[in-house]
Amino acid sequence: MSKTLAQLFALTTLAAGASLAMPARAETAPVAAAPAACPAILKQTFNRLQDEAPQNLCQYAGKVVLVVNTASYCGFTNQYEGLEALYAKYGSKGLVVLGFPSNDFGKQEPGNSKEIADFCYNTYGVKFPMFSKSVVSGPNPNPLYVDLIKQTGKTPAWNFHKYLIDRHGKVVESFPSKVTPDDKKLVGAVEKALAM
């Protein structure tokens, strides 16, 4: 090895060693985003379908929420598939679908929580949050539906009625049962709410 090459090698090795020996620059810790304030409409607790564990809806604060009253034996029941696809596609962007089984329309949800949960998971692979069966219409709807109906002036007329709530807790739209989860109008409203 020539003298010049040897000197260059020694300098490079020395510089590499010096950089390793230097203390690393302190990294600034990322500032965690403050949790979104819980809007009034989500300040409610419902039991989870599969195990009756109480769930505070404030855990969905800051998300776009699609609330759907569901039933296992309805002509619209196959919408579970589309709802799950919507949740899978947009969940990472901030969408959550909340299912509320109800026996209000045509007695099309007669089962208990275990039966409903098994049906949803085994038949349609539902992974979005589902809650225990409750009333969503008539004189005594559950408290969430009281608020949804009050804000939109629209009461579910049948199973699979959908309400869209933006990240700030404002109910921005209501969709009747016939509007499927892949309908351009619903998907467009979801995308618009996610972009805000």
Side-chain angles (χ1 to χ4, degrees):
M1 186 182 294
S2 73
K3 186 176 178 183
T4 309
L5 201 54
Q7 287 173 333
L8 184 60
F9 178 78
L11 285 173
T12 307
T13 306
L14 180 63
S19 67
L20 288 174
M22 291 176 65
R25 194 183 79 195
E27 292 295 324
T28 306
V31 177
C38 186
I41 198 163
L42 296 180
K43 289 182 180 174
Q44 309 189 47
T45 300
F46 292 92
N47 290 343
R48 190 164 47 199
L49 180 64
Q50 62 268 38
D51 59 8
E52 300 294 327
Q55 301 293 303
N56 188 325
L57 298 188
C58 283
Q59 68 185 292
Y60 306 115
K63 291 187 177 284
V64 172
V65 180
L66 185 65
V67 178
V68 188
N69 60 294
T70 63
S72 299
Y73 301 101
C74 174
F76 296 113
T77 300
N78 63 356
Q79 287 191 22
Y80 270 128
E81 188 174 345
L83 291 168
E84 182 57 35
L86 201 64
Y87 179 57
K89 181 174 182 179
Y90 294 104
S92 63
K93 295 179 173 123
L95 174 71
V96 65
V97 177
L98 304 181
F100 286 84
S102 177
N103 201 35
D104 291 6
F105 307 106
K107 305 293 181 203
Q108 294 179 342
E109 190 62 281
N112 62 34
S113 290
K114 183 183 183 323
E115 291 167 335
I116 298 167
D118 288 348
F119 174 81
C120 291
Y121 182 75
N122 293 328
T123 309
Y124 292 101
V126 170
K127 294 181 184 73
F128 59 80
M130 295 279 297
F131 299 91
S132 296
K133 187 163 65 172
S134 63
V135 174
V136 300
S137 67
N140 298 304
N142 76 47
L144 176 60
Y145 273 78
V146 167
D147 288 348
L148 292 168
I149 293 164
K150 185 177 178 182
Q151 287 195 39
T152 62
K154 306 245 171 102
T155 302
W158 202 252
N159 305 306
F160 291 88
H161 187 98
K162 301 155 199 77
Y163 294 95
L164 186 64
I165 304 170
D166 72 11
R167 293 182 191 273
H168 308 289
K170 180 183 175 201
V171 185
V172 292
E173 201 138 0
S174 171
F175 301 92
S177 309
K178 65 183 180 181
V179 175
T180 60
D182 62 351
D183 186 286
K184 287 179 184 175
K185 184 178 176 189
L186 189 150
V187 172
V190 165
E191 289 178 343
K192 182 179 176 186
L194 288 170
M196 294 175 74

